[in-house]
Amino acid sequence: IWGIKSGAIAVFDPLGKTGEYSRDTKTKDDRNKHDYIFKRRHIESIYNDIKNAVEDIDENPVYYTLNLCRVLYYLKEGIVSSKREGGELSREHLPDKYKKIVEQCLKVYNGAAFVIEISHEDLYEFAYLMLEEINKLKNYFLAGNTLLKKEY
C-alpha cells in the first residue's frame, strides 16, 4: 500500500514494517535499493505459490497452470498480473503444445468449460519446464542482477 503523507512517501513493507522517508533526503541509490527489496520480496511471495507445482499440478491444474504463467510473465516483463491475464499473455510466447494446456485452463477459469482433458504427463512436463525457467530467472534476479523491464 503506497500513499503520500505530507511530502513523504508512506512505505508498506510486506514483512510488516511500515516507515516513511522524505523525497528530498533519499538518494536514487536508496530508492533503487528499496525497489530491489520490494521486488525481491514480491518474487519470493509469488514463487511460494508455485514452488510445488510439479508435485501438485494434478490436484489443481487450473490454479497451478495459470499461476505459473503469471509468475513467469512477472519475471520476464516486470508486470503484476492476475492468473487470467498471465495465462492470456503467456499464450503468445508458448509452444503450441503448452498453449493448448493454458487455453483449456482459461476456459475452466472463465466458466466456459468444466473439464480439462490434459494428460498427467503433459501437465507434469508443462509444470517442470515452466518452473525450470522461473527458477533460472528468479535466481538471476535474486543474485542482484537487473532483470525486470518495467517498473510498477
Side-chain angles (χ1 to χ4, degrees):
I1 300 170
W2 296 81
I4 297 176
K5 290 171 78 177
S6 63
I9 298 175
V11 179
F12 172 74
D13 182 334
L15 295 181
K17 299 172 188 158
T18 303
E20 56 181 60
Y21 61 89
S22 166
R23 293 177 204 211
D24 301 327
T25 60
K26 290 293 181 178
T27 66
K28 184 176 180 183
D29 287 340
D30 290 336
R31 286 189 297 273
N32 287 342
K33 183 178 179 182
H34 176 75
D35 288 345
Y36 171 79
I37 291 168
F38 179 80
K39 288 174 186 172
R40 187 192 77 213
R41 289 181 180 157
H42 181 71
I43 290 168
E44 290 168 348
S45 174
I46 61 177
Y47 180 77
N48 281 332
D49 289 340
I50 52 98
K51 67 182 177 185
N52 297 321
V54 173
E55 297 87 10
D56 298 339
I57 197 161
D58 276 336
E59 295 173 26
N60 197 342
V62 174
Y63 174 83
Y64 282 107
T65 297
L66 298 181
N67 249 349
L68 286 164
C69 291
R70 76 188 276 256
V71 171
L72 185 58
Y73 185 70
Y74 177 76
L75 290 171
K76 291 235 180 219
E77 299 295 329
I79 298 173
V80 177
S81 63
S82 67
K83 286 188 276 298
R84 178 180 291 120
E85 292 168 328
E88 289 170 350
L89 295 167
S90 70
R91 283 187 301 191
E92 302 168 19
H93 306 286
L94 293 172
D96 288 339
K97 178 178 183 176
Y98 303 125
K99 282 181 191 177
K100 292 176 184 176
I101 293 171
V102 173
E103 287 169 359
Q104 284 191 47
C105 290
L106 281 168
K107 285 180 182 177
V108 170
Y109 191 80
N110 292 327
F114 298 103
V115 178
I116 297 173
E117 296 179 13
I118 306 167
S119 73
H120 164 77
E121 292 78 18
D122 287 346
L123 283 172
Y124 175 83
E125 182 181 319
F126 173 80
Y128 180 83
L129 294 173
M130 290 288 281
L131 207 49
E132 186 176 55
E133 184 67 16
I134 287 166
N135 278 321
K136 284 182 206 172
L137 294 170
K138 175 185 75 88
N139 293 337
Y140 181 78
F141 179 74
L142 294 180
N145 299 294
T146 302
L147 182 64
L148 303 175
K149 292 182 189 176
K150 300 176 184 173
E151 302 298 321
Y152 63 90

